[in-house]
Each structure stands twice: as C-alpha cells, then as structure tokens.
Amino acid sequence: MNSSPDVRFMRRALELAQRAALDNEVPVGALLVMGPEVIGEGWNQPISGHDPTAHAEIVALREGARQLRNYRLAGATLYVTLEPCAMCMGAALNARVSRVVFGAWDQKAGACGSVIDLPREPKLAGRIDVYGGVCSEESAALLRKFFEARR
C-alpha cells in the first residue's frame, strides 16, 4: 500500500474530479506536489475550455510550472485519479516529473501499462516512478457513475 500522503493527495484529486463532473466533463482530477506543497491543481476542462489538451494533468502541470517559473518539474509528484493517457504521460516525461501516482486503470487509453507503457519505454529519455491503484475504487466509481448517467 502507498504511504498516507499519497492517499491524502489522491483524495484532493478526487475532489477536483468531482468539480469536473459538475461541469459535465469526464471526472478526472490532478494535482502536482513538490515536497509537502501543492503547486498545481487541475480537472478535466477540454469541453468547457474548447481545448483538447485541457486534461486534468496538463492543467496541473501548467499551473505548477508557472508557480515554479520553470518548465522542468524535477522532484514533483503528479497525482491523478485516472491512469494518464499518452499526451499527459508525454508531458510529465518532458517536464521531468519524478513520480506519477494514479487511481483507476484506463483500459482504453492508459499509457502506464494498460494500453502502452511510456514510462518504461527504453527509447525515451527520462524515467518516472509510477504507482497505480491508489484510491482506485473511489476513482473508478466516480467515472462509472458519470458514464452511467450519460447513457
């Protein structure tokens, strides 16, 4: 089991995911943490923002980079309620994020082992420690509830 700070930060990411759901966006939330401090938060906003790149992870990474005034985020941990897609994992790799902690696995678009495994791709520069399954039941339930309501 992951340490309690991971669970505490993931619970905040779940609150952000609920914010996305209120906006009729796929309920995914993310935070970027440096040490004990949250430096970036985000929730899915591609529909409301008319921006296909406005995934929760990208929003959190952008905010964190602005806070640090640096596009390199070495030492940071990205928490996200759903396994990142290739775009978001690529952004985390390019930013040199140190860790990614996620909740639910994404069998359709996950880039941390479900569909592809970018963090372990030997041809890519940079390495990220990845921990999946933190608060996975809560994350999956939020997504399931959202999609059931849309059917």
Side-chain angles (χ1 to χ4, degrees):
M1 179 69 185
N2 287 289
S3 65
S4 78
D6 285 348
V7 171
R8 188 175 79 249
F9 288 126
M10 189 61 73
R11 293 213 187 285
R12 175 63 185 147
L14 282 162
E15 291 172 6
L16 295 168
Q18 291 171 349
R19 168 76 190 268
L22 290 173
D23 294 339
N24 289 315
E25 301 273 6
V26 175
V28 177
L31 18 138
L32 189 65
V33 175
M34 185 73 78
E37 185 180 344
V38 174
I39 60 170
E41 293 187 335
W43 56 90
N44 268 2
Q45 302 171 45
I47 298 167
S48 60
H50 311 290
D51 180 356
T53 69
H55 289 195
E57 300 94 312
I58 301 295
V59 174
L61 289 168
R62 286 178 178 154
E63 186 178 317
R66 276 193 297 272
Q67 279 260 59
L68 295 180
R69 296 177 164 235
N70 193 340
Y71 73 105
R72 295 288 190 218
L73 301 169
T77 299
L78 179 64
Y79 292 88
V80 59
T81 58
L82 181 64
E83 179 183 3
C85 70
M87 175 182 69
C88 294
M89 204 58 223
L93 282 161
N94 284 326
R96 305 294 192 261
V97 167
S98 297
R99 290 176 72 224
V100 170
V101 178
F102 68 87
W105 296 89
D106 185 348
Q107 300 301 320
K108 294 183 179 178
C112 296
S114 289
V115 176
I116 58 174
D117 199 350
L118 286 181
R120 289 179 186 78
E121 172 52 53
K123 293 179 183 175
L124 293 177
R127 293 287 166 257
I128 297 180
D129 290 329
V130 177
Y131 302 92
V134 177
C135 300
S136 63
E137 288 152 20
E138 297 97 316
S139 298
L142 188 57
L143 288 158
R144 197 169 34 255
K145 179 181 172 187
F146 176 81
F147 286 112
E148 285 173 357
R150 296 184 75 115
R151 290 190 186 123

